[in-house]
Amino acid sequence: MKNRILTIVLFSLFLSGSGDPEAGKDKSYTCSSCHGADGNSIMGLWPSLAGQNAAYLEKQLALIKSGERVIPEMMGILDSLNEQDLKDLAAYYASNKNSVGEAKKDLVDLGYKLYFSGNIEKGVPACTGCHSPNGLGNSQAAYPLLSGQKPEYVAKTLKEYRTGDRDYSEASKIMVSIAYKLDDKEIEALASFIHGLY
């Protein structure tokens, strides 16, 4: 019931207006130490936010602020921000261009296969169904952009889904049901492929 109420609240946030990218830029300075000045992270374990769809970012910021999604490194950072601040931050990062890296050559074939076809034998669906062929995500469903994410962050995230440590929403439950079927080599290949996906 608690998750259903949170989902309704988050959905109403999305309908209640949009953010101001300029105001978001002014509010993003604290974020830049981990996520980069423009949202392109320079640290492998922190996600890039540049180019991420605003609906996804808004939803995640609201979950983190409420404590539904626990990220120890972000404890207290969003406490003083209101609903409009979160919208402004999401709009700012969504307005920036994400940087795309390069996949490791020896992992491209497996990463490509998993991303575009999944693994039928293991019941793993293709990533394209939710995250689009070019990794841009689905803003209507608030599914995230993956293109260019650091391989360390993608691998860490998939492993957290695999163990069930990252299970805080309906969307995360989908990923938990998929990631537990992936082995370490498949996660490494997907993470590398996504880093170079555009």
Side-chain angles (χ1 to χ4, degrees):
M1 182 68 172
K2 184 179 179 184
N3 282 343
R4 184 172 168 79
I5 292 169
L6 181 62
T7 301
I8 291 167
V9 169
L10 290 171
F11 185 68
S12 68
L13 283 175
F14 302 141
L15 296 178
S16 64
S18 59
D20 175 359
E22 284 303 311
K25 182 177 182 180
D26 293 339
K27 297 168 185 172
S28 72
Y29 294 111
T30 301
C31 312
S32 64
S33 59
C34 292
H35 300 288
D38 63 351
N40 283 294
S41 176
I42 55 172
M43 301 297 290
L45 288 177
W46 307 127
S48 289
L49 306 179
Q52 189 57 266
N53 72 66
Y56 176 77
L57 283 175
E58 244 183 89
K59 180 179 178 182
Q60 296 310 306
L61 289 169
L63 286 165
I64 293 163
K65 181 175 169 65
S66 73
E68 289 286 314
R69 180 175 176 191
V70 177
I71 301 176
E73 297 83 3
M74 289 195 65
M75 295 291 280
I77 291 177
L78 302 176
D79 288 355
S80 64
L81 303 181
N82 63 33
E83 185 179 306
Q84 188 59 49
D85 294 330
L86 301 184
K87 288 178 177 297
D88 293 344
L89 280 169
Y92 168 65
Y93 286 118
S95 72
N96 293 338
K97 179 151 179 53
N98 68 314
S99 296
V100 177
E102 190 172 313
K104 292 181 181 176
K105 287 184 171 56
D106 61 323
L107 297 174
V108 169
D109 289 343
L110 179 56
Y112 180 93
K113 177 182 179 272
L114 289 166
Y115 192 85
F116 288 102
S117 303
N119 184 330
I120 294 171
E121 296 83 25
K122 292 172 91 173
V124 175
C127 305
T128 56
C130 295
H131 299 285
S132 83
N134 53 3
L136 296 182
N138 179 332
S139 59
Q140 298 291 70
Y143 292 150
L145 167 140
L146 298 180
S147 171
Q149 283 294 352
K150 301 284 187 203
E152 298 90 344
Y153 176 71
V154 175
K156 174 179 160 281
T157 301
L158 287 172
K159 288 176 181 176
E160 288 172 351
Y161 282 131
R162 184 173 68 183
T163 61
D165 290 339
R166 188 167 172 168
D167 185 1
Y168 51 82
S169 68
E170 291 304 314
S172 65
K173 288 184 188 323
I174 294 169
M175 284 305 304
V176 168
S177 73
I178 294 167
Y180 89 91
K181 301 171 186 174
L182 298 171
D183 61 37
D184 285 350
K185 187 66 175 176
E186 290 169 322
I187 286 176
E188 182 187 10
L190 264 176
S192 174
F193 185 76
I194 286 167
H195 183 55
L197 181 63
Y198 61 94

